[in-house]
Amino acid sequence: MLEKVEEFNMDKVIDDFEAITKDAERVQKETLRKILEDNASAEYLQNLGLNGRTDPESFKACVPLVTHKELEPYIRRMADGDSSPILTGKPITGMSLSSGTTQGKPKFVPWNEELFDTTMQIYKTSFVHRNREFPINNGKALNFIYGSKHFKTKGGLFAGTATTNVFRNSRYKWIMKVVQSRNCSPDEVIFGPDFHQSLYCHLLCGLIFREEVQLVSSTFAHSIVHAFRAFEQVWEELVADIREGVLSSRITAPSIRNALSKLIKPNPELANLIYKKCMGLSNWYGLIPELFPNVKYIYGIMTGSMEPYLKKLRHYAGELPLLTADYGSSEGWIAANVNPKLPPEYATYTVLPQIGYFEFIPLTENNEEPKQTDGFLQPEPVGLTHVKVGVEYEIVVTNPAGLYRYRLGDVVKVMGFHNSSPELKFIRRSSLLLNINIDKNTERDLQLSVEAASKILAEDKLEVVDFSSLVDLSRDPGHYVIFWEISGEASEDLLRECCNCLDRSFVDAGYVSSRKVNCIGPLELRILRRGTFQKVLEHYLGLGGAVSQYKTPRCVGPANTRVLQILSENVVKNCFSTAF
Ligand code: AMP
């Protein structure tokens, strides 16, 4: 039965959260027991000889740590229509396509109603904490969300991105009402067949409801920045549509045209106002509060690979607070942001012990990932309440949708505890990004290096729009290549300075020593034509990804041939470092 909006009691949600996090160890055991009991008939668990045991010790003794690769054959059978209990007791209701931007191609993970329940729990928990600090009253959200392409698997299961699975659930509208985030845009815009048309109409709907918009959000911050960059290009057309009450001819999808025709009416007054406001801005600083005067905050995931977009987001947001959303993945939710006042750079996420069973593999002393397979070399994972403050861990998830001891591939650092549940800082994806010989550089290292070099670029009022990287082994010695799309023309000298800074900013000892003896060649900076990363995004959308979950691939490996081709075809300039 659906809870009614009036029955949503904020104090109770906070009290429950406090009680659950105080009792995290017991709640974890209970969560594991329930997952194992509900799925006791699953072939996967049966074969591992659990024999109905549900305690953490037996679970750890019988069930191996796995990655997606080991579960792939089981997931494939489920997708192909085998409805026997394979990974779960009950048949699953769909498949989520994880964005796969790191591996180069999307992958399937099972989806069921229990995962939607955890979505509701996390949304409610973070909302009540947010609303205490930044109350919203009967607000609307300009929510840049997009349903992905979806299809039926061979066995007839619905397959779309996890966010699409959430948006299309019949309880989604209800939860959005509860968390004061009713979308300005009708469903036809969210699920429109073409992303560009949906984006345009999100902006248009936002402007039509500008007084009511109290929240600007998206799943990942990238989509918000992307949307306002697009606004800079199309704002005059939007103003014209509002003035005439006629939708631009660029919107060709009949479903969207039909839905928008009910909303758009000639409104010269509003058109004049928006025109004046846009003309009055200097370089679009403070655009969001100018367009939407009642917005309380900007909301979306802003940590990890989203950090590089914060600067631009702050520019558009002016004085508005930026609140990072929760921490989760297609494989399930993990933790909520219950300290919304912290800026994204300092944000932590508190694990919800009732939504999954979590283990943590400590990284080795130099914060390296534990080996994948050599059982005895691998540090033992520890339980949720046994992690230590200041230590970095790789997360292992057991969820109610058929994933058992699944290595998510994320590295987090424990910053403290909320009662007895850890507060995590997202550090990075666990895989190494750049590695030629003894050098080891992660997504985070690349991010820091780009951040340092973009400060030099900023001196000339230029910015890095987006970036990626590559290990080039086509010549000996191999070298790092950094791809940059920048906001304007930079001089050769400036680029060389940036290139040297990028090279020097990889401070890992293996890299520095290899560079000094030329076992790794000079770092190369390749500048891309404007719009190249838009092409990369479109490539992912074509594979079934969704803008809502999009993350720019920070390194293009050999498996990513199409992306590499897009980047290579669009290089307009390059230079090599002379830093060593
Ligand atoms: P997906 O493959 O689309 O399911 O994306 C899930 C991944 O996004 C996670 O495994 C993380 O690497 C990243 N992610 C999700 N939430 C956050 C967050 N709050 N902060 C940083 N990274 C996140």
Side-chain angles (χ1 to χ4, degrees), residues 305-344:
S305 63
M306 294 297 127
E307 273 183 42
Y309 307 108
L310 282 176
K311 192 160 176 260
K312 190 70 180 172
L313 191 56
R314 284 212 167 91
H315 184 82
Y316 288 133
E319 301 292 305
L320 283 171
L322 303 185
L323 273 60
T324 183
D326 304 312
Y327 172 34
S329 67
S330 308
E331 288 87 346
W333 287 103
I334 296 155
N337 176 8
V338 297
N339 296 305
K341 278 199 152 165
L342 289 178

Side-chain angles (χ1 to χ4, degrees), residues 3-18 120-121 123-129 131-132 174-175 177-180:
E3 227 175 318
K4 291 213 193 73
V5 177
E6 309 84 70
E7 284 168 21
F8 175 64
N9 179 333
M10 302 228 205
D11 293 337
K12 182 165 182 318
V13 175
I14 299 225
D15 291 348
D16 286 353
F17 173 73
E18 288 301 315
M120 305 233 284
Q121 292 184 41
Y123 277 17
K124 281 199 224 169
T125 306
S126 58
F127 171 71
V128 289
H129 288 87
N131 216 47
R132 271 204 309 208
W174 173 81
I175 187 73
K177 213 164 169 183
V178 166
V179 301
Q180 302 274 352

Side-chain angles (χ1 to χ4, degrees), residues 386-404:
H386 297 110
V387 293
K388 293 204 170 63
V389 173
V391 176
E392 292 191 1
Y393 296 90
E394 190 198 318
I395 292 201
V396 177
V397 175
T398 296
N399 80 2
L403 302 182
Y404 307 96

